[in-house]
Amino acid sequence: MPSDSNQRCPETLEHLTKSDPAQTAGGVKAVANSLKHIQREAGLVHGAKALLKLNQKDGFDCPSCAWPDPDGHRASAEFCENGAKAIASETTRKRITPDFFRAHSVEALAAQTDHWHELQGRLTEPMHLPAGASHYEPISWQAAFDLIGRELNALPTPDDAIFYTSGRASNEAAFLYQLFARHFGTNNLPDCSNMCHESSGVALGSTIGIGKGTVKLEDFYEADVVLIFGQNPGTNHPRMLSALQQCVRNGGKVVAVNPLKEAGLLGFSHPQEVKGMLGARTPLASHYLQVKPAGDHALLLALAKSLVGQGAVAADFIEKSTTGFAAYREQLAALDWPTLEAQSGIERAQIEAVATLLASTEKIITCWAMGLTQHKRAVATIQEIVNLHLLRGALGKPHAGLCPVRGHSNVQGDRTMGIFEKMPDSFLDRIEQVFGFAPPRKHGHDTVDAIRAMHAEPGKVFIGLGGNFLSATPDTDFTAQALRNCRLTVHVSTKLNRSHLVTGQQALILPCLGRSELDAPRGQPQFLTVENSMGVVHASRGKFPPASAHLMSEPAIVAGIAQATLGERTQLPWAEWAEDYAQLRDVIEKTIPGFNRYNERAAQPGGFYLPNHAREGDFSKLGGHVPFSLNRLESQPLEPGQYLLMTIRSHDQFNTTVYGMDDRYRGIAGERRILLMNPDDMAAAGLQPEQPVDITSHHRGQTRTARLFLAIPYDMPRACVAAYFPEANLLVPIDSTAEKSNTPTSKGVVVTVAAAQQGQPAGII
């Protein structure tokens, strides 16, 4: 087994090419890059057929982001560059067979990069790594299920099992998974949301009473102001750009708040318009505030202070629908402008200009993503967004509201289905009533606490329903040791990833169907459902032959594990549910509010909206009033020579999947081990452009070092730096998390940067 865990670190960094950062996203280059990936992986004919079914009402949901599809008419090409890459990856002609694992040891595979892993193709058969073995070997499905059952049943307590979920799982698979875990006896159901939008759920749940956004896609078209905090839609949610373009064309304003200048916030050339293909550009952000990392809280307070100072508050709405305004107003009055400017990094004149925009309308939408959620004060910051909307009465009305932009395609649906370590008693009561067993009531582990538990005590069993747990999580070496402490690690996957190579005493890889593939147990085609960022539940119907005859669907895999583990302890029809998802949706309907006539409504083109009282302006569940939140303003002091590190995606990746080596919009290609820095900071530190550096994080007297990165000058605030994840994840301390949500602070890591040590081998860090 490899002795270290993180990404392969080459001895030299010689492939970097640089160009000026782009000022516009989309256009002909987006089309050309999409076709390049499709041609390389799937071939143009098969790839084109798949793309034409992507996000269509009779097709399958994109396995990439959770941006919603139009309710009405959809274009024949209802996808973006990200979606094309995801489909190219899923429909690739390349295959990983047992011969591949016979030819490559686990240690040899671990020495390769994540990009290399991605290019090897689709997994085709269940594989088993026995204790002490160097190579994976084939195993039958039933033998794999029996092994999992034996290991789970041998645990001293069900709470020694960890059931992790990624956002790619369907509603049906997620519901079965949480039902099995709770029937087994634990609420240990960590998921990827713990690492991304958990802060949003906590903040929104504590204010508006629902941990979801309150807008529909069509609201963007008629909004007067769209605020975008800590989000890079050009890379992470490209289809959002067409909604922003429509907003601007209708006279709306886009305000971007982000430390880095990102092409997708500056301008958009629509690749499905002739003018866009010819280079015509729609400018997007009328105001671009390059806020300091973690400075959003101060900025939001400053905007609110300005609005109150102008008298631009929605007095009737505040009186009828809110509580706590007087105390909030006093808090704002006590704040001084020099402090707000210093902590946000934005001058008062710029703040006042944006406040003036907000003062003129109630049709305000605020969007945010990881740039807000992965800080120590993330929950407080998002509560300040709610406060801002309460000030203007911009909640529960058309073309106004809150929009946390989710990442993976069904991460919101998984939570709706019960993938959460502390579901409310009302949900657990329904589980007991519908299924006849008493689910555990003690809260389980979230992702960070699960890692701590596996690290602290050996002998646990880890099961991952999708995802790349090791590369997605913080403190990579710490997490790697946690996984190695397990008796068994199991991953349900479509492609090879690093989590398959840092294992427990034994390991299993269970290959599953992709979204695009026909799911027809016993010859009867089935559909699955997902929920997008705006609460629409809709069908996803795979259309193409599976990559291998040995693949199983996620619901079938979960059902097989459940039956093998629970045996005579369960009377539930796991096998029937795995073969007929309509039966499974019938019991989901009985369990979860809002899913009445589930089968009927899911089968309708476009699906249906789940209830959302905040979107409808119904605050009766809150006693009729939404509370203003009071949050202290805290600074993030840095010592001389320290910076605040943000981990970010490149344009050629989605989450931990690295499709290529070209961060096209930032003008960086050929190398992922880069560190973006303010040019003045580089000069002050005596660093030259593209000089190799080592990065060291500092937290509670501990240090972690990532070696041999290239320092790249970039337009960004001083005293902050940025690097790609997962390469920089080892710098994020396991015990540095957001207050209340326990989300890793991946956008707020205190680091120092030094010239790379000469003569020290890079190796595997």
Side-chain angles (χ1 to χ4, degrees), residues 6-53:
N6 200 34
Q7 317 308 304
R8 177 177 179 270
C9 180
E11 297 297 324
T12 58
L13 295 165
E14 57 187 18
H15 304 297
L16 175 73
T17 59
K18 283 183 78 275
S19 59
D20 291 335
Q23 301 297 302
T24 302
V28 68
K29 288 186 178 179
V31 175
N33 202 41
S34 299
L35 293 176
K36 181 186 75 172
H37 283 266
I38 287 291
Q39 171 63 33
R40 184 188 72 193
E41 298 298 322
L44 285 179
V45 174
H46 180 59
K49 290 179 180 178
L51 290 175
L52 292 175
K53 287 296 182 183

Side-chain angles (χ1 to χ4, degrees), residues 193-216:
S193 187
N194 297 146
M195 295 179 287
C196 56
H197 269 291
E198 197 66 57
S199 299
S200 301
V202 172
L204 297 178
S206 65
T207 52
I208 65 173
I210 182 171
K212 300 181 181 183
T214 68
V215 297
K216 298 180 179 180

Side-chain angles (χ1 to χ4, degrees), residues 8-9 14 17 130 154 210 273 317 345 521 562 639 644 690 699 738 741:
R8 177 177 179 270
C9 180
E14 57 187 18
T17 59
I210 182 171
E273 296 179 353
F317 179 87
E639 298 177 7
L644 211 57
E690 302 178 31
H699 184 70
S741 69

Side-chain angles (χ1 to χ4, degrees), residues 169-192:
S170 65
N171 287 335
E172 291 79 1
F175 185 84
L176 271 189
Y177 195 53
Q178 65 81 28
L179 186 67
F180 161 54
R182 293 187 163 103
H183 202 335
F184 178 65
T186 185
N187 282 313
N188 286 346
L189 285 156
D191 73 324
C192 59

Side-chain angles (χ1 to χ4, degrees), residues 527-540:
F527 71 83
L528 294 162
T529 62
V530 295
E531 178 187 346
N532 65 35
S533 262
M534 295 177 185
V536 179
V537 176
H538 59 96
S540 179

Side-chain angles (χ1 to χ4, degrees), residues 25-26 81-82 231-238 241 262-265 651 665:
E81 184 180 347
N82 257 8
Q231 184 200 358
N232 177 13
T235 286
N236 300 329
H237 309 90
L241 298 182
E262 302 286 15
L265 293 169
H651 188 65
Y665 294 150

